[in-house]
Amino acid sequence: RLRNKLASQQWNTHLYTRLIGSLREIKTPEEIALMLKPVSISAIAHAEVMKAIQPGMSEAELQGVQEYVHKKLGAEYVGYPSIVGAGANSCILHYEENTRVNINRDMVLMDIGAEYHGYSADVTRTVPSTGKFTPQQRAIYDLVYRAQEAIFPLCHEGVPFGDLNKKATEVLAQGLLDLGIIKSKDQVYIYYPHSCSHFLGLDVHDLGNYDQDLKENMVITVEPGIYIPAGSACDKKWWDIGVRIEDDVRIGKTKCELLSWQAPRKSADVEKLCLQKSSVNGMILPAIR
Ligand code: GLY
Ligand code: MN
Ligand code: MN
């Protein structure tokens, strides 16, 4: 169809985007094999940072550790500007300045994906710098985790794409209501202002049609989140908590394959890994002059 259109000089960039998008929705076996690399590299980098993180580090330093692991494992680039936001900055979507010089004892949201041979990963972890979630941080973290766990079983062929975000919204709304953070379920959008899934591939937000059922060998993200900036209309014990957990999955016939499993997701598993040491903390450099 495209060739005919081009031959008749009827340039239609929307048609072009749609046709190319449909070619990119379903990954070939070669693409799946390739995509495992950046996703695995990104998950390993997140796991390393869980070991390395300490109060007093800077956002840029954490970014550096992540991107060092990417390079060490062969990634050429990042798929998108790295997002490392501590405390208040974790509540800013697509915060990419990463300029806070001291994360203190705050929790840090890190959305960082390696790019390998043209393909991008997109993985987010939210980690307490002390290695232990406060009760409020854990309540929000575990709610986001439950939302993610509720979405995974829908990630198979035949499920309408839109059902994923419906499920995420439902779980997050009920959870926020139970915690007393919202008064009615329709207020969920105040604290969950995005959607839970997008295509992933050559681009971090890959081309594709969202108005369709999932098909085998699509690769998508699963990324619910909750962001409660200071000043929000809820008890201030919740302020400045921002949590996103983002994983990359391959859609199968009856279930999904979690590609980013090498980075722990459960709060208890994150805390356990934080207890381990990373060799990056042993790097002592001379003072700069
Ligand atoms: N890193 C961009 C996103 O999560 O969609
Ligand atoms: Mn994403
Ligand atoms: Mn992301």
Side-chain angles (χ1 to χ4, degrees), residues 122 198 205 221 223 246:
D122 189 7
H198 57 78
H205 294 158
T221 64
E223 51 173 310
E246 177 171 27

Side-chain angles (χ1 to χ4, degrees), residues 133-146 175 179 181 226 238 241 243 267:
F133 294 98
T134 66
Q136 285 75 32
Q137 290 168 351
R138 188 188 307 276
I140 301 298
Y141 188 95
D142 288 347
L143 170 57
V144 174
Y145 176 82
R146 283 203 305 280
L179 291 170
I181 295 173
I226 294 286
W238 302 110
I241 294 179
V243 174
S267 52

Side-chain angles (χ1 to χ4, degrees), residues 26-96:
I26 297 175
K27 271 53 182 180
T28 64
E30 293 81 4
E31 286 181 294
I32 303 271
L34 201 48
M35 286 195 70
L36 284 171
K37 307 267 192 229
V39 177
S40 174
I41 289 170
S42 308
I44 291 170
H46 276 290
E48 193 59 34
V49 163
M50 287 179 198
K51 295 192 238 165
I53 195 168
Q54 289 175 355
M57 290 175 85
S58 71
E59 290 175 343
E61 191 179 356
L62 293 169
Q63 175 185 352
V65 175
Q66 297 257 14
E67 294 182 19
Y68 170 73
V69 176
H70 291 185
K71 296 284 191 231
K72 190 166 173 70
L73 295 176
E76 295 90 358
Y77 306 106
V78 282
Y80 53 93
S82 299
I83 296 166
V84 182
N89 293 339
S90 66
C91 300
I92 304 169
L93 286 189
H94 294 132
Y95 168 78
E96 54 190 50

Side-chain angles (χ1 to χ4, degrees), residues 108-164:
V108 188
L109 185 155
M110 288 165 278
D111 183 344
I112 307 185
E115 183 180 306
Y116 180 89
H117 291 20
Y119 285 82
S120 181
D122 189 7
V123 183
T124 305
R125 289 294 181 268
T126 308
V127 182
S129 61
T130 58
K132 197 146 185 66
F133 294 98
T134 66
Q136 285 75 32
Q137 290 168 351
R138 188 188 307 276
I140 301 298
Y141 188 95
D142 288 347
L143 170 57
V144 174
Y145 176 82
R146 283 203 305 280
Q148 222 196 10
E149 286 288 292
I151 302 163
F152 288 138
L154 299 177
C155 294
H156 61 80
E157 185 153 301
V159 175
F161 211 117
D163 281 13
L164 274 47

